[in-house]
């Protein structure tokens, strides 16, 4: 069986299990919408994938209400209190067990619940106020690529709000994530005793910034980079051989990796310049290319002033 067929099979049974759990939530009159999200809805789940559900609550649920829904469904579960940052409740269910008495060993189902008013406000923040917040974009991606289980009309109205991807959001995303400071510091870190931790940490951060910029240039709402090849395959506007080049950055000797990353950055800036002329790419290039001056002796003049 090919990897694609395996992923499809893994996704199908997870989607069916997710549908049954979503319908259990839908029995509550307080649940206005439910959909399957994540790798299951996209069809690329594997044997280690969890099942993600998004639930829209019409009013704040009590712990008793949440517990009453999931107690009959799961061999074990955890209910988390309301998260102020994400503005959500999270329920973790473990369906089944790997062996008798093996707690928390079932299929993990993560249920993220938000008020419908919060979903709509966060959606408005992104598509009308052009807020580049990544968590809010992940919500929108889940809506666009999810499998509706309950409240299809309401979900459809949210999807209609999110399309098309606003050009102003592309500009806001690039302005937020395209600036790369102190790139040449890798040479300093390398000279100071092979500080590979800081070098690779910085290179990874830059790669992540570039992917966010490319998602924006392509009009793709952000979602987590768990499936990197899939993310890159969804970006028709991108430097050639991008996946292979990003992997090289993380595996090659540092000078080779740095040169490879430098080339990708410059090509991404070329694409931004071509597709989003509103962005000041010249300023971004100047910041990226800047190198601090090395000094072996004091500069001339009093206090270094010519």
């Amino acid at each position: 069986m090919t990897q694609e067929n395996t992923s499809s099979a893994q996704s199908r049974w997870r989607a069916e299990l997710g549908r049954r759990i979503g319908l259990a939530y839908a029995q509550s009159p307080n649940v206005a919408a439910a959909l399957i999200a994540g790798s299951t809805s996209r069809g690329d789940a594997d044997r280690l994938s969890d099942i993600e559900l998004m639930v829209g609550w019409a009013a704040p649920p009590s712990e008793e209400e949440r517990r009453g829904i999931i107690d009959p469904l799961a061999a074990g579960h955890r209910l988390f209190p309301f998260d102020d940052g994400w503005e959500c409740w999270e329920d973790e269910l473990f369906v089944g067990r790997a062996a008798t008495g093996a707690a928390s060993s079932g299929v993990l189902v993560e249920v993220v619940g938000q008020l419908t008013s919060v979903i709509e406000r966060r959606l408005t923040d992104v598509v009308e106020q052009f807020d580049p917040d990544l968590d809010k974009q992940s919500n929108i991606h889940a809506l666009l690529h999810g499998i509706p289980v309950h409240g299809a009309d309401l979900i459809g109205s949210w999807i209609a709000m999110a399309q098309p991807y606003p050009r102003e959001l592309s500009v806001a995303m690039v302005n937020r994530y395209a600036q790369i400071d102190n790139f040449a510091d890798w040479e300093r870190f390398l000279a100071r005793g092979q500080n590979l931790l800081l070098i690779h940490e910085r290179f990874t951060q830059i790669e992540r910034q570039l992917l966010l910029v490319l998602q924006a240039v392509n009009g793709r709402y952000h979602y987590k980079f768990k499936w990197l090849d899939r993310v890159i395959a969804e970006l028709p506007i991108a430097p050639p051989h991008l996946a292979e080049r990003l992997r090289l950055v993380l595996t090659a000797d540092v000078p080779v990796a740095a040169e490879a990353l430098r080339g990708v950055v410059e090509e991404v800036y070329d694409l931004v310049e071509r597709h989003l002329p509103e962005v000041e790419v010249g300023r971004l290039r100047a910041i990226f290319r800047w190198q601090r001056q090395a000094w072996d002796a004091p500069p001339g003049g009093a206090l270094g002033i010519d």
Side-chain angles (χ1 to χ4, degrees):
M1 182 178 291
T2 67
Q3 182 176 350
E4 182 177 355
N5 289 337
T6 300
S7 295
S8 297
Q10 295 283 358
S11 298
R12 280 195 297 272
W13 70 258
R14 283 175 170 77
E16 177 55 28
L17 181 56
R19 186 186 70 82
R20 296 204 303 268
I21 294 172
L23 289 175
Y25 274 85
Q27 295 305 304
S28 168
N30 198 19
V31 171
L35 62 83
I36 302 164
S39 59
T40 297
S41 68
R42 296 191 302 268
D44 52 18
D46 61 21
R47 60 196 298 269
L48 295 175
S49 295
D50 57 15
I51 301 170
E52 298 175 34
L53 288 176
M54 184 176 177
V55 170
W57 293 94
S62 66
E63 183 174 329
E64 292 74 21
E65 184 175 6
R66 294 158 63 198
R67 193 176 301 280
I69 293 170
I70 66 177
D71 271 345
L73 301 174
H77 55 67
R78 293 191 293 240
L79 274 65
F80 296 92
F82 184 77
D83 185 299
D84 292 321
W86 282 77
E87 299 184 278
C88 73
W89 298 266
E90 184 176 347
D91 305 336
E92 283 190 351
L93 291 67
F94 295 94
V95 180
R97 285 183 174 170
T100 303
S104 302
S105 63
V107 178
L108 176 60
V109 182
E110 294 185 337
V111 182
V112 175
Q114 289 180 308
L115 293 175
T116 55
S117 59
V118 168
I119 294 172
E120 289 165 4
R121 172 171 51 76
R122 290 165 69 93
L123 180 56
T124 299
D125 287 346
V126 174
V127 301
E128 295 183 11
Q129 303 302 318
F130 318 121
D131 184 351
D133 182 271
L134 300 182
D135 293 339
K136 294 176 182 178
Q137 289 193 50
S138 294
N139 276 21
I140 298 176
H141 186 275
L143 293 172
L144 291 175
H145 300 276
I147 302 173
V149 174
H150 174 68
D153 289 344
L154 179 57
I155 294 169
S157 71
W158 293 336
I159 291 173
M161 287 178 64
Q163 295 175 319
Y165 183 104
R167 183 178 183 86
E168 296 90 340
L169 180 60
S170 296
V171 174
M173 284 286 292
V174 172
N175 284 333
R176 170 73 65 87
Y177 295 108
Q179 181 170 315
I180 298 171
D181 305 278
N182 301 311
F183 175 72
D185 276 358
W186 70 265
E187 298 178 70
R188 184 161 55 102
F189 296 145
L190 192 63
R192 293 176 180 176
Q194 297 281 334
N195 194 336
L196 298 180
L197 175 62
L198 285 180
I199 293 171
H200 286 295
E201 183 180 71
R202 183 69 180 118
F203 285 0
T204 300
Q205 178 188 342
I206 292 170
E207 289 196 343
R208 185 172 184 273
Q209 288 180 243
L210 295 177
L211 289 168
L212 290 170
V213 168
L214 288 170
Q215 284 184 323
V217 170
N218 283 272
R220 303 286 302 187
Y221 290 105
H222 170 72
Y223 66 104
K224 294 179 181 178
F225 300 137
K226 293 181 180 179
W227 298 88
L228 190 55
D229 285 343
R230 181 186 179 102
V231 169
I232 292 173
E234 294 172 347
L235 304 175
I237 301 171
H241 311 295
L242 180 60
E244 294 86 344
R245 294 165 75 183
L246 293 184
R247 278 193 282 269
L248 176 66
V249 171
L250 300 180
T251 57
D253 290 339
V254 171
V256 175
E259 187 57 33
L261 186 54
R262 184 192 305 277
V264 174
V265 172
E266 294 285 4
E267 290 175 35
V268 169
Y269 284 167
D270 289 343
L271 294 171
V272 172
E273 202 163 40
R274 186 179 311 147
H275 295 278
L276 294 173
E278 305 97 314
V279 175
E280 295 181 52
V281 177
R283 182 185 68 86
L284 296 174
R285 289 192 199 275
I287 294 171
F288 172 64
R289 293 172 180 174
W290 180 83
Q291 297 186 49
R292 71 175 65 198
Q293 178 65 49
W295 293 91
D296 293 314
L303 298 178
I305 301 173
D306 292 334

